[in-house]
Amino acid sequence: MKEVQILATGSYVPDRIVTNDELATVIDTNDEWIKTRTGIGERRITTGENTSSIAAKAALKALENSSIKPLDIDLIMVATTTPDCYTPSTACIVQNIIGAANATCFDISAACSGFIYALNIAYQFIKNGTKKNALIIGAETLSKILDWNDRSICVLFGDGAGAAILGCGEEKGLIQIYTGSDGKGANLLKCNAVPIDINNKKLKEKIPQNADNEGYHYLSMEGREIFKFAVKAMGETIKTLLSSSGLTIDDIKYIVPHQANLRIIDYMIKKLKVDKKKFYTNLQYYGNTSAASIPIALDQMNREGLLEKGDKILLVGFGGGLTWGGTIIEWTIDKQISS
Ligand code: ACO
């Protein structure tokens, strides 16, 4: 059976940059607090675009860098916490924008681990021969679910999208994949759906409203608990991937972590006793873009020419749900792409 490989990558971030200093003009915060606690210097915010639009732009960039045509794509998955609609899926909207009429399309809800979950699902489809070319996208417009008056949370996130096309090849591109979830931590990182609002007065009296879902519809987070979870999940995921693949940390050229917080990454660098350069980071420029953070980073590394054929790269994510997961890939693209 043919092996599964990443064939191309693409990404898109909105032009609008919001620096820490600019945020400090509208809420009670400052560059020093944000940088020392998180490492974030600035983030991108969409102006008038929704998740499907930025997801499609990332997808088109990936397609430009491959010999795959939109009609060759037979599976599209969008990992997102911030879909355009409850229905249709963001993936279906993207399908229409890019003209991938032969694809089966659906969204993945696994917060910041969503891209890894999508990789895992695409791998299964391609490996068992059901699908040939999968387009997977992590895309977020988190700015629309942030409370911009809450300094403890709005400074952390940004908008963006990253994509990868997966297909078949001779070399084993996806070496190992691992995912996990723990619903006991569901309340630690949460954004409620819009509550039922029965606008017929007579009916409203007869049907009780869902109390669970009332009130706050912005992202909320127990920061310290998430910090503890993140370092544990990352450590265990890396350990599991290495032991199940028979590799050591020295075999891995780069670790691409979910770009949540530099302090989480620094903690892992110390724990694993590895060179800082092994961990790729770009959260300084984009903040936490949830499901988009890993594919944006991977595409940037590809465009910067950091990845060479044969390199082993470990991607690791963690997020709301709680969810976590990782993969070890071998880079199989021999042609470096220009930015
Ligand atoms: N600017 C200035 N002061 C602030 C800000 C801000 N933006 N936000 C909070 N503060 C203040 C608080 O009001 C508090 O003040 P007080 O002591 O007078 O009450 C003080 O700073 C400390 O607040 P904490 O919330 O306790 O800050 P903490 O040290 O826990 O840092 C942080 C917050 C950075 C979020 C931390 O909890 C963390 O690193 N968490 C990890 C999780 C994470 O990064 N999540 C990102 C998304 S989750 C994911 O991707 C899976």
Side-chain angles (χ1 to χ4, degrees), residues 29 33 37 112 151-152 221 223-224 227 258 261 263 288:
T29 189
W33 192 97
R37 305 278 173 135
C112 310
R151 66 178 181 173
S152 70
M221 178 181 72
R224 293 192 177 188
F227 192 101
H258 165 47
N261 185 318
R263 286 198 311 175
N288 180 346

Side-chain angles (χ1 to χ4, degrees), residues 120-178:
N120 197 356
I121 298 164
Y123 173 83
Q124 311 300 336
F125 267 110
I126 295 170
K127 192 75 183 159
N128 74 21
T130 313
K131 300 289 180 191
K132 268 178 85 177
N133 297 306
L135 168 64
I136 59 169
I137 307 166
E140 302 284 8
T141 47
L142 291 156
S143 56
K144 71 186 180 192
I145 60 163
L146 295 176
D147 179 350
W148 287 97
N149 295 305
D150 180 354
R151 66 178 181 173
S152 70
I153 196 142
C154 72
V155 302
L156 303 173
F157 296 92
D159 298 342
I165 298 172
L166 270 72
C168 297
E170 294 304 326
E171 299 127 331
K172 197 177 172 91
L174 265 72
I175 296 172
Q176 199 64 243
I177 308 186
Y178 163 73

Side-chain angles (χ1 to χ4, degrees), residues 23 27-31 33-34 36-38 40 111-113 150-157 188-189 219 221-230 258-264 288-290 293 317-320 322-323:
L23 273 181
I27 50 168
D28 182 14
T29 189
N30 57 76
D31 182 56
W33 192 97
I34 301 171
T36 51
R37 305 278 173 135
T38 72
I40 298 165
C112 310
S113 315
D150 180 354
R151 66 178 181 173
S152 70
I153 196 142
C154 72
V155 302
L156 303 173
F157 296 92
L188 297 179
L189 184 53
L219 196 63
M221 178 181 72
E222 302 280 340
R224 293 192 177 188
E225 290 306 310
I226 288 290
F227 192 101
K228 282 188 242 163
F229 153 70
H258 165 47
Q259 308 283 315
N261 185 318
L262 212 51
R263 286 198 311 175
I264 294 174
N288 180 346
T289 57
S290 190
S293 89
F318 49 88
L322 301 169
T323 58

